[in-house]
Each structure stands twice: as C-alpha cells, then as structure tokens.
Coordinates of all heavy atoms in Angstrom, one line a residue:
S190 N 98.6 101.4 80.8 CA 98.4 100.8 82.1 C 98.8 101.7 83.3 O 98.1 101.8 84.3 CB 99.2 99.5 82.3 OG 98.7 98.5 81.4
V191 N 99.8 102.5 83.1 CA 100.3 103.4 84.1 C 99.2 104.5 84.3 O 98.9 104.9 85.4 CB 101.7 104.0 83.8 CG1 102.1 105.0 84.8 CG2 102.7 102.9 83.8
R192 N 98.7 105.0 83.1 CA 97.7 106.1 83.2 C 96.5 105.5 83.9 O 95.8 106.3 84.7 CB 97.4 106.6 81.8 CG 98.5 107.4 81.2 CD 98.0 108.2 80.0 NE 97.5 107.3 78.9 CZ 98.3 106.8 77.9 NH1 99.6 107.1 77.9 NH2 97.8 106.0 77.0
A193 N 96.1 104.3 83.6 CA 94.9 103.7 84.2 C 95.1 103.6 85.7 O 94.1 103.8 86.5 CB 94.6 102.3 83.6
I194 N 96.3 103.2 86.2 CA 96.5 103.1 87.6 C 96.4 104.4 88.3 O 95.7 104.6 89.4 CB 97.9 102.5 87.9 CG1 98.0 101.0 87.5 CG2 98.3 102.7 89.3 CD1 99.3 100.4 87.6
W195 N 96.9 105.5 87.7 CA 96.7 106.9 88.2 C 95.3 107.2 88.3 O 94.8 107.7 89.4 CB 97.5 107.9 87.3 CG 97.2 109.3 87.7 CD1 96.3 110.1 87.1 CD2 97.9 110.1 88.7 NE1 96.4 111.4 87.7 CE2 97.3 111.4 88.7 CE3 98.9 109.8 89.6 CZ2 97.7 112.4 89.5 CZ3 99.2 110.8 90.5 CH2 98.7 112.1 90.5
K196 N 94.5 107.0 87.3 CA 93.1 107.4 87.3 C 92.3 106.5 88.3 O 91.4 107.0 89.0 CB 92.5 107.2 85.9 CG 93.0 108.2 84.9 CD 92.3 108.0 83.5 CE 92.8 109.0 82.5 NZ 92.2 108.8 81.2
D197 N 92.7 105.3 88.4 CA 92.0 104.4 89.4 C 92.4 104.8 90.8 O 91.5 104.8 91.7 CB 92.5 102.9 89.2 CG 91.5 101.9 89.7 OD1 90.3 102.2 89.8 OD2 91.9 100.7 89.9
A198 N 93.6 105.2 91.0 CA 94.0 105.7 92.4 C 93.2 107.0 92.7 O 92.8 107.1 93.9 CB 95.5 106.0 92.4
M199 N 93.0 107.9 91.8 CA 92.3 109.1 92.1 C 90.9 108.7 92.6 O 90.4 109.3 93.5 CB 92.2 109.9 90.8 CG 93.5 110.5 90.3 SD 93.3 111.4 88.7 CE 92.2 112.7 89.2
T200 N 90.2 107.8 91.9 CA 88.9 107.4 92.3 C 88.8 106.6 93.6 O 88.0 107.0 94.5 CB 88.2 106.5 91.2 OG1 88.2 107.3 90.0 CG2 86.8 106.1 91.6
L201 N 89.6 105.6 93.7 CA 89.6 104.7 94.9 C 90.0 105.5 96.2 O 89.4 105.3 97.3 CB 90.5 103.5 94.8 CG 90.1 102.5 93.7 CD1 91.1 101.4 93.7 CD2 88.7 101.9 94.1
M202 N 91.0 106.4 96.1 CA 91.5 107.1 97.3 C 90.5 108.2 97.7 O 90.3 108.4 98.8 CB 92.9 107.7 97.0 CG 93.9 106.6 96.8 SD 95.6 107.2 96.4 CE 96.1 107.9 98.0
A203 N 89.8 108.8 96.7 CA 88.8 109.7 97.0 C 87.6 109.0 97.7 O 87.0 109.6 98.7 CB 88.3 110.4 95.7
D204 N 87.3 107.9 97.2 CA 86.2 107.1 97.9 C 86.6 106.7 99.3 O 85.8 106.7 100.3 CB 85.9 105.8 97.2 CG 85.2 106.0 95.8 OD1 84.7 107.2 95.6 OD2 85.2 105.1 95.0
G205 N 87.9 106.5 99.5 CA 88.4 106.1 100.9 C 88.4 107.3 101.8 O 88.5 107.1 103.0
M206 N 88.3 108.5 101.3 CA 88.2 109.7 102.2 C 86.8 109.7 102.8 O 86.6 110.3 103.9 CB 88.5 110.9 101.4 CG 89.9 111.1 101.0 SD 90.1 112.7 100.1 CE 89.6 113.9 101.3
I207 N 85.8 109.2 102.1 CA 84.4 109.2 102.6 C 84.2 108.1 103.5 O 83.6 108.2 104.6 CB 83.5 109.2 101.4 CG1 83.7 110.5 100.5 CG2 82.0 109.2 101.9 CD1 83.0 110.4 99.2
D208 N 84.5 106.9 103.0 CA 84.3 105.7 103.8 C 85.7 105.2 104.3 O 86.5 104.8 103.5 CB 83.7 104.6 102.9 CG 83.4 103.3 103.7 OD1 83.7 103.2 104.9 OD2 82.7 102.4 103.1
R209 N 86.0 105.3 105.6 CA 87.3 105.0 106.1 C 87.6 103.5 105.9 O 88.8 103.1 105.9 CB 87.4 105.3 107.6 CG 87.2 106.8 107.8 CD 87.4 107.1 109.3 NE 88.8 106.9 109.7 CZ 89.1 106.8 111.0 NH1 88.2 107.0 111.9 NH2 90.4 106.6 111.3
R210 N 86.6 102.7 105.6 CA 86.9 101.3 105.2 C 87.2 101.3 103.7 O 86.4 101.6 102.9 CB 85.7 100.4 105.5 CG 85.9 98.9 105.2 CD 84.7 98.1 105.5 NE 83.6 98.4 104.5 CZ 82.7 97.5 104.2 NH1 82.7 96.3 104.8 NH2 81.7 97.8 103.4
I211 N 88.5 101.0 103.4 CA 88.9 101.0 102.0 C 88.3 99.8 101.3 O 88.6 98.7 101.6 CB 90.5 101.0 101.9 CG1 91.0 102.3 102.5 CG2 90.9 100.9 100.4 CD1 92.6 102.3 102.6
V212 N 87.5 100.1 100.3 CA 86.8 99.1 99.5 C 87.3 99.2 98.1 O 87.2 100.2 97.4 CB 85.3 99.2 99.5 CG1 84.6 98.1 98.7 CG2 84.8 99.1 101.0
T213 N 87.9 98.1 97.6 CA 88.5 98.2 96.2 C 87.9 97.1 95.3 O 88.2 97.1 94.1 CB 90.0 97.9 96.3 OG1 90.2 96.6 96.9 CG2 90.7 99.0 97.1
T214 N 87.0 96.2 95.8 CA 86.4 95.2 94.9 C 85.2 95.8 94.1 O 84.5 96.7 94.6 CB 86.0 94.0 95.7 OG1 85.1 94.5 96.8 CG2 87.1 93.3 96.3
R215 N 85.0 95.3 93.0 CA 83.8 95.6 92.2 C 82.7 94.7 92.6 O 82.9 93.5 92.8 CB 84.1 95.5 90.7 CG 85.3 96.4 90.2 CD 85.6 96.2 88.7 NE 86.5 97.1 88.2 CZ 87.8 96.9 88.2 NH1 88.3 95.8 88.6 NH2 88.7 97.9 87.7
P216 N 81.4 95.2 92.6 CA 80.3 94.4 93.1 C 80.2 93.1 92.3 O 79.9 92.0 92.9 CB 79.1 95.3 92.8 CG 79.7 96.7 93.0 CD 81.0 96.6 92.4
K217 N 80.5 93.1 91.0 CA 80.3 91.8 90.2 C 81.3 90.7 90.6 O 81.0 89.5 90.4 CB 80.5 92.1 88.7 CG 81.9 92.6 88.3 CD 81.9 92.9 86.8 CE 83.3 93.3 86.4 NZ 84.3 92.2 86.5
D218 N 82.4 91.1 91.3 CA 83.4 90.1 91.7 C 83.2 89.6 93.1 O 83.9 88.7 93.6 CB 84.8 90.7 91.6 CG 85.1 91.0 90.2 OD1 84.7 90.3 89.3 OD2 85.9 92.0 90.0

C-alpha cells in the first residue's frame, strides 16, 4: 500500500503541474 501511494502521488502530482485544478477522481466514480 505504501508503494502504491508513492506511485499514485507521482502520477497525480505530475498531472497537477499541467492542470492547476487538482483532479483526483476516476471518471467511473
């Protein structure tokens, strides 16, 4: 779980550099 959080942070935070609106929800939800 800790490794998954790290990998998820890498992806979500990189996305947040492009779109200043931090979006964390998955489309299906």
